[in-house]
Amino acid sequence: MLNQLTISELTSRLARRDISARELTQACLDQIARVDGTVHAFISHDPADALAQADAADHELAAGVTFAQKPLLGIPIAIKDVLAVKGHPLNCGSKILGKFISPYDATVIEKMKAAGAVVFGRLNMDEFAMGSSTETSAFGITRNPWDPSRIPGGSSGGSAAAVAADEAIATLGTDTGGSIRQPAALCGCVGLKPTYGRVSRYGLTAFASSLDQIGPFTKNIEDAARLLGVISGHDPKDSTSVAEPVPDYVAALDGQIRGLKLGLPKEYLIGGLDPEVKAAVDAAVKQYAALGAEIVDISLPHTDYAVATYYIVATAEASANLARFDGIRYGQRVDGADPIELYTRTRGAGFGAEVKRRIILGTYVLSSGYYDAYYLRAQKVRTLIRNDFLNAFKQVDAIITPTAPTAAFKIGEKSGDPLQMYLSDIFTISCNLAGISGISLPCGFTRSPKLPIGLQLLGQPFGEATLLKLAHAYEQSTPWHREKPAPIA
Amino acid sequence: MEYEAVIGLETHVQLNTKSKMWCGCANAYGAAPNTQVCPVCLGLPGVLPVPNEEALRKTTLTGYLLNCEIPRFAKFDRKNYFYPDAPKNYQLTQYDKPTTANGFVEFEFQGGLARVRITRAHLEEDVGKSFHFDRNSGVDFNRAGVPLMEIVSEPDITSADMAYEYLNALKDILLYGGVSDCDMEKGMVRCDVNVSVRPVGTQELGAKIEIKNMNSFSGVRRALEYEIPRQIAVVKAGGKLIQSTRRWDDTTGITEEMRTKEHAHDYRYFPEPDMMPLAPTDEWLAEVRKLVVELPLARKQRFIREYSLPAPDAETFKNDVALGNYFEPLAKQSSNPKAVANWVINNLRAKLTELNEREKTEQSELGIEPADLQLTTLADLKFPPAALLELVGLVEAKTISNAAAQQVFAEMFATGKTPAAIVQEKGLAQVSDTGAIEKLCDEAIAASPGPVADYRAGKAAALNALKGYVMKLSKGKANPALAGEILERKLKG
Ligand SMILES: [Zn+2]
């Protein structure tokens, strides 16, 4: 089935005109019709619009446009509901935006459209990307394609599940503390969080501005390299994006990893790590050694402070970022006798419990008298955490860890216990605080039930090429990425 | 006990950049509501601010003009508060690392020089404008995101008059630097006042009271003229003032309490994560430095010094920059700059004003909007500046009389002909031929028995009447000094 193929496979078939973009898009739409009743990766999608884009791509193919000119021509790529797509709904998994339709394209969307992609669908997510299970969405839960009684991870749960269930060829998600890598691990696909500043955030509805990055979900590493190449680069509309040249990420996938050094941080081998996850990661480390990489024990001494630091910085920024959802200019409004009543009613009705919890936390840590003890201190610890990584990267080319401490957990299992939920991001959070790059790729399965396990590689700032090279070498020597979830097959 | 006021001002000034602070929308006053808006200045989900370099340049330039330090590290912060006119419900401002700090303004006050220290001039964004109708309200976001500079003074001001002069001096500097149009009626300058009172001779500050809502400099002066005696009366009566914010009511002329310190906002400032901190380079600062202009006060003092002008003339040239710029190159070429100044101020300016008034009337009769009026300026005069210099030279050399010079000027203003040509054409050259003037004097004496008798009776002023008669007979061409001498000789003889 066309929807099961990778970008690399599809582009060569499209180029040969073996298949049309319309057939390909239709295959994805058919799969959505078949499985999304169970998976519910999509909040909404517009088949007619997707097919119209596919037809346009077919015209361009017929007119001789090449994949060198438009590397994603005709490839259906679905979008997390936090990214602005002109003319499409933008809800951020929340009720508060009501019937809001974005009047503009995010920069990554402009780039994908320029590359010829069929940009479609609104993928489910934790409300405003706040969560690790996609259970805080106002649009219902998303189910893990490997076991529909389990969560897909989050916050980009819809993005991960859609790729795992072959409902799209690839998707875009966002990662603030692990929101790409953790669901990628739990759904058995590839998820890449680029270095802060690598990809423009313009059009990404901010959760935590200094931590958010947009990245791809794909079926394999080569596709991730292709997509990253399209969405990366400096953007005059985002002054935090960096004018670092964008290398040819696909060309980096040469299998030459002999002599590269992989750091194994002792702080990450902690209690609470599921034995099957540990075994899979240990085996992956051995595999890397067998492929010629050198394994080096390293230390990231401030790891213990990462979760606390993250929940101060992220909530502080979120408390301001979400202030604009007030019912005055757009979105859902619940009227009141005066502005204050209008705000409290609108926000009271529009935001879910987790979002409210984080706004209150963030407001608290910024309050007069608490700022120095919390926010300022957290920023200092954040610098220490970043320095841990920069020091480590003086010794090693990348760091190898589990992506998440366990495989996918049951729906409802942690939703009543925020702290347990927060701890499911324990391995991914530091990467965002440090602003470095990270990727999750499949490294095995639990036995029963059969659930994917993710391996995380963390790379230097702007070290995505090395990260992808390492990930690709492992992937090509293991069978995991070829497995498909049985329950929805 | 005697009390004194301690006053500090926070002055908000809209910068006259082409576009807004974070987006490409026009920074222009007067468009239909919500027509100069985009996703960024409406605070739609996902947008990011990109700082306007022109606004940073103008703020830094202001720093230089206000003798400030320009720190090599500055940043923007979020000031959090909910208000319908604030699109993001936080305002981007510079909380603790402003673009400029620690300067001063000098200005003339009560016959001497006053100096008010400037704490900082920092950059922030303006908010939208609320409108209240019968049953509902609306917000116009055209103004949202317009670059706004806040200039904070130290509490160095001691009276309402001094506050007024400080504001005028500040406005002159901003106009000179070209950073703001400072149009009060368009809300381009807004002012908050902090005022407290204390016994004369003490150093401790009294409870700081902030006054808001003045929309003119004279409003600031009036508010202080009301507020200072009010505070003194309270403490004299044994009352206690508490830190609070008061609202000035321009109609009733009083201030009313809005809120006290306990109800002060907690703005929860924190560094704006959507932007990198600002780190101006040497090269960039050097470019801004090239934009530094002479300050108004320095210009006035220099005009007095270099061109021996009386203070009122120098003041005129300080206030009318274009006129001063017209004057200065001529003054440098003239041996009598004072005479040039007289011509520029008394004749040229008067003629131009008169012409502009006529143009306004004519054009409004044609239905042209006030904003589209085409008025003649100093740049489009019909005669070149050198012609004015030539005219002054003709008077200096006594080639023409003052009265004739007026005629020449009127003609060159109207036609652009050179003074020499006009003098020749109209035969205005002064007559210094003794024989011719003697004849005219004889005629005058014969025709004016009254003044002649008066003069002989000792009324020296009567000579003027006779001189006037001679001038009239000569059609203004007689050299008046010579005529005076001859008349005197004849009457005494
Ligand atoms: Zn705008």
Side-chain angles (χ1 to χ4, degrees), chain B residues 83-102:
Chain B
Y83 207 78
D85 64 14
K88 303 181 290 292
N89 286 317
Y90 58 80
Q91 181 194 29
L92 291 177
T93 180
Q94 297 184 302
Y95 177 56
D96 59 354
K97 297 286 176 194
T99 286
T100 80
N102 302 327

Side-chain angles (χ1 to χ4, degrees), chain A residues 300-348:
Chain A
L300 301 167
H302 296 92
T303 298
D304 275 357
Y305 306 105
V307 172
T309 302
Y310 174 85
Y311 278 95
I312 289 168
V313 174
T315 58
E317 291 178 6
S319 72
N321 282 333
L322 270 60
R324 70 188 61 196
F325 303 104
D326 59 4
I328 298 284
R329 284 148 296 123
Y330 50 82
Q332 175 181 290
R333 175 191 296 175
V334 186
D335 238 317
D338 55 34
I340 298 295
E341 195 175 73
L342 185 153
Y343 295 147
T344 40
R345 286 182 177 175
T346 297
R347 291 164 66 83

Side-chain angles (χ1 to χ4, degrees), chain A residues 245-466:
Chain A
V246 180
D248 183 342
Y249 292 116
V250 178
L253 311 179
D254 56 10
Q256 304 295 314
I257 69 160
R258 184 162 298 278
L260 288 180
K261 290 182 180 146
L262 277 177
L264 201 58
K266 64 176 188 205
E267 290 81 4
Y268 281 52
L269 300 170
I270 48 151
L273 181 60
D274 181 90
E276 284 185 290
V277 172
K278 184 176 186 308
V281 173
D282 286 346
V285 171
K286 284 205 183 72
Q287 178 66 13
Y288 268 113
L291 290 169
E294 191 181 325
I295 309 299
V296 181
D297 285 326
I298 58 161
S299 173
L300 301 167
H302 296 92
T303 298
D304 275 357
Y305 306 105
V307 172
T309 302
Y310 174 85
Y311 278 95
I312 289 168
V313 174
T315 58
E317 291 178 6
S319 72
N321 282 333
L322 270 60
R324 70 188 61 196
F325 303 104
D326 59 4
I328 298 284
R329 284 148 296 123
Y330 50 82
Q332 175 181 290
R333 175 191 296 175
V334 186
D335 238 317
D338 55 34
I340 298 295
E341 195 175 73
L342 185 153
Y343 295 147
T344 40
R345 286 182 177 175
T346 297
R347 291 164 66 83
F351 288 138
E354 183 60 28
V355 170
K356 286 178 188 164
R357 173 160 34 238
R358 297 199 195 190
I359 290 173
I360 291 167
L361 250 169
T363 304
Y364 179 79
V365 300
L366 289 175
S367 296
S368 165
Y370 299 98
Y371 180 86
D372 289 4
Y374 292 107
Y375 188 75
L376 205 60
R377 207 178 172 86
Q379 288 295 6
K380 288 178 182 162
V381 177
R382 184 176 180 180
T383 303
L384 296 175
I385 290 170
R386 179 171 168 84
N387 290 342
D388 278 358
F389 280 96
L390 297 183
N391 286 331
F393 287 129
K394 288 176 189 161
Q395 298 175 57
V396 299
D397 298 293
I399 293 167
I400 185 164
T401 79
T403 307
T406 65
F409 45 89
K410 289 269 189 190
I411 289 162
E413 188 182 328
K414 294 185 181 175
S415 51
D417 186 346
L419 191 59
Q420 274 310 307
M421 191 70 93
Y422 296 173
L423 288 173
S424 62
D425 293 334
I426 193 159
F427 297 129
T428 48
I429 269 175
S430 296
C431 169
N432 302 73
L433 289 168
I436 60 172
S437 52
I439 192 168
S440 178
L441 65 158
C443 71
F445 292 90
T446 57
R447 206 173 297 272
S448 180
K450 183 180 179 181
L451 297 170
I453 297 170
L455 178 71
Q456 177 175 242
L457 297 175
L458 300 174
Q460 307 222 18
F462 301 98
E464 286 84 356
T466 306

Side-chain angles (χ1 to χ4, degrees), chain B residues 18-51:
Chain B
K18 284 191 195 71
S19 56
K20 290 190 185 180
M21 189 60 221
W22 318 116
C23 60
C25 291
N27 170 18
Y29 178 86
N34 295 314
T35 54
Q36 287 170 352
V37 293
C38 73
V40 173
C41 56
L42 284 174
L44 296 195
V47 297
L48 296 170
V50 176

